[in-house]
Amino acid sequence: MKLLTLLSLFVTYLVTDCINIENTAGHFFSSGHTNNWAVLVCTSRFWFNYRHVANSLSVYRSVKRLGIPDSHIVLMLADDMACNHRNPKPATVFSHKNMELNVYGDDVEVDYRGYEVTVENFLRVLTGRLPPSTPRSKRLLSDDRSNILIYLTGHGGNGFLKFQDSEEISNVELADAFEQMWQKRRYNELLFIIDTCQGASMYERFYSPNIMALASSQVGEDSLS
Amino acid sequence: MATAEVERRRGQLAALSIAAVVIIVGVPLWWKTTETYRAWLPVSQIRELAKLQLQLSADVEVVFARGTVTPEQQKKVPLTKTQEEDHAVDEGTTLKYRYETKYRTATIMEEDALNKPAAAEADLALHMLSESPCGSLVIYVIPESSSLLHEDVKVYVGQRRTALLRVVAQMRTAKTFEQLLDRLQPHIIQVLRMMSFSRADITAALSDRVRFHPGSKESVADSMRAFKSSPGYEITFSLLNPDPKSHRLHWDIEGAAQTYIQPLLMKMSPVANFSIDSQTLHYAMLGVNPRYDSSRSAYTLNADSLAHVINPVEARLGSNAASSNPVLNFLLYVPDSHHSPLYIQDHHKQEVYNVDSSYGPEAEFPVDININMAKVMGIFLAQLRLLLGVQSSPPPPGFLVAPCGSTGLADWELDRLMWSRSVENIATATTTITSLAQLLDQIGNIVINDNIAEQVSNAVTSLQLAVAELDAGNLGFALQFSKEAILASEKAFFDPSLLHLLYFPDDQKFAIYIPLFLPMCVPIMLSLLKIASEARQKRREKQAKKD
């Protein structure tokens, strides 16, 4: 008898919790935003990280096809795949072994390439603290009615993400950067997607409102991305 | 032995002196050298500004024409009254609206002007007599029998800062002056809400701090359409020609911009700086395919698909790489011969717009087409007004609004825009400065340079001046100071040196300090402990010897 009441209470709690999540998610998608931005970052370089570049470029193509123009996309790539000596098909980057879709194309606009993809530049783009000589295409000029997509891919660990083999960004730094964005009202809603090993650890420390985070793996899991 | 004693004494002295040097000299030195330079910020003033308490005050003059007041009521005039209205937006923001109203009777020359046959002429004549300063209003109360206004028109809003209000029957029955004023009050408030600031406008301007929940769908669209306040805007006119082989398009953009757009921009120069560019793009295709509608023998395009037109064109539109000002792009697309004429339909299946080309099928290609700039510029001008924030809500019933003059903007519309921009600038600058102060407080590792402290002080001073000018009713100065405040606060907030890269987790801090300090501290601590235990033992022996 006791077990039954306990079970029913538990089930009711689960159901209401699910409904709450549904409501929150539904509310998230009916916001009053007027423009969209995307910050797509691939944090790896070298040929054996081809898949990360292909990931970022696939997201770039999807985002462009669905209507976000280049002027509102900040793409950070090492960009050493298309013209790599090991590339059997030069000037192309494919996202599938069937090689059907060349995601590099001839109209890709990489804003930060090569060694410019650093933690410092990434944080500067997010918080807006760029030197005055930075051109418009390298800036994130969002306002309080912008919805921003932030996509990170590369090698990560529990609480950090590796940038180009020499530095790392921790989840606390990322959370602080988002809080600074919120203080200056640089976003209306933020969709944070992380595609690395143990990616869920990167969003553990977020404390700013209006952020939805997705990760491809939990803490302790490897993401073969 | 004596030497052992001396040695031991020397050892104790050494340990004590090393400990003394470490604590008295070493620790302060280490503290000072690992300190970050933080210039002083006026934190208390910033905190005061954070509780945004604004007072907007406007000067209003109500002039009674002959026939609207009885002789005994006239004795009370001239009279000055102040009305205040409180508006608490939320806990952090309170506004006060103040109207300083002066009541007087009309002068002879104003009476002459009010006897003109038409309202527009009366408006012009009244303007010739006196020019109202920025932010103020004059309302002329005219008798019911006046022929200036049509039967069902109660109020006429002029091109400049005047309005004509017709006395209605219930006002005439007022005995005392106070009664007359009471009856007039709701109408005057209506006029003021339209020509000056209103709750809705100001709340919309505060959207940075307060999420505005407007009532209707149209006002949602309105509040989202206008650009945010910015020190400058860039306007680009682009002509899209999909088929240069068959069309040669001529448009006199320079002349048209000079005639139609430039006067508006000159009038709005206190609000922002503008720069105009124009370009022609050849082989610019529409991203969507129009469908042929045989019932009209024309091509039709759904209004919803217009949004998909932008993306293929956007890459070629270009913008000034050096500035971060918002860009307003106006595109003019002339359909090619295979797709003309082209109609655009909205979801009611009604024709919304007609893109027409005026040549017959037997024309010789390439055809020269001269674009009618007047029609095009008319549309662009209307859209430019909406994008820059000039409100376009329909006037209340019984109101007749004069068409705006040759500049495309009435004086009172500019005033209304200036009120909301001032409030928006002040609110944004306050939020920026407050969050900067909070950020610098929270993260103790960030270096605050002198130039940042200077910018913050400038911003605080400008904010205080702007709030004071708004209080006093000097709209022009208030807007100017608010713009300076925004520039200084943004410069301080977005200074590149404020990047906090110095995040040290606790375990890393220990990992650095322990190998440095532990090997040195352990021998000292042990010898100090030994000294202390020996001293205690000696004291105990002395006690035992005494007893």
Side-chain angles (χ1 to χ4, degrees), chain B residues 7-29:
Chain B
E7 276 302 321
R8 222 196 61 206
R9 185 58 43 117
R10 198 186 293 166
Q12 279 181 348
L13 209 60
L16 278 171
S17 54
I18 290 177
V21 164
V22 163
I23 291 176
I24 295 174
V25 178
V27 167
L29 194 65

Side-chain angles (χ1 to χ4, degrees), chain A residues 41-124:
Chain A
V41 183
C42 165
T43 61
S44 324
R45 59 186 303 114
F46 306 132
W47 179 252
F48 59 86
N49 290 320
Y50 185 100
R51 59 194 189 283
H52 296 143
V53 174
N55 285 347
S56 317
L57 285 173
S58 307
V59 177
Y60 172 75
R61 287 287 158 208
S62 302
V63 150
K64 250 177 89 150
R65 181 173 49 91
L66 292 172
I68 302 186
D70 267 316
S71 59
H72 284 218
I73 301 179
V74 177
L75 179 61
M76 301 174 75
L77 278 186
D79 204 14
D80 55 353
M81 295 303 150
C83 301
N84 199 308
H85 301 298
R86 297 180 184 180
N87 196 345
K89 296 200 177 234
T92 59
V93 174
F94 296 106
S95 60
H96 194 274
K97 68 178 196 299
N98 292 345
M99 298 203 270
E100 295 158 337
L101 180 63
N102 174 17
V103 287
Y104 199 66
D106 51 4
D107 60 344
V108 64
E109 187 184 297
V110 182
D111 299 305
Y112 287 84
R113 55 159 29 101
Y115 290 106
E116 290 172 352
V117 181
T118 58
V119 174
E120 181 185 341
N121 281 346
F122 177 55
L123 289 178
R124 282 192 190 280

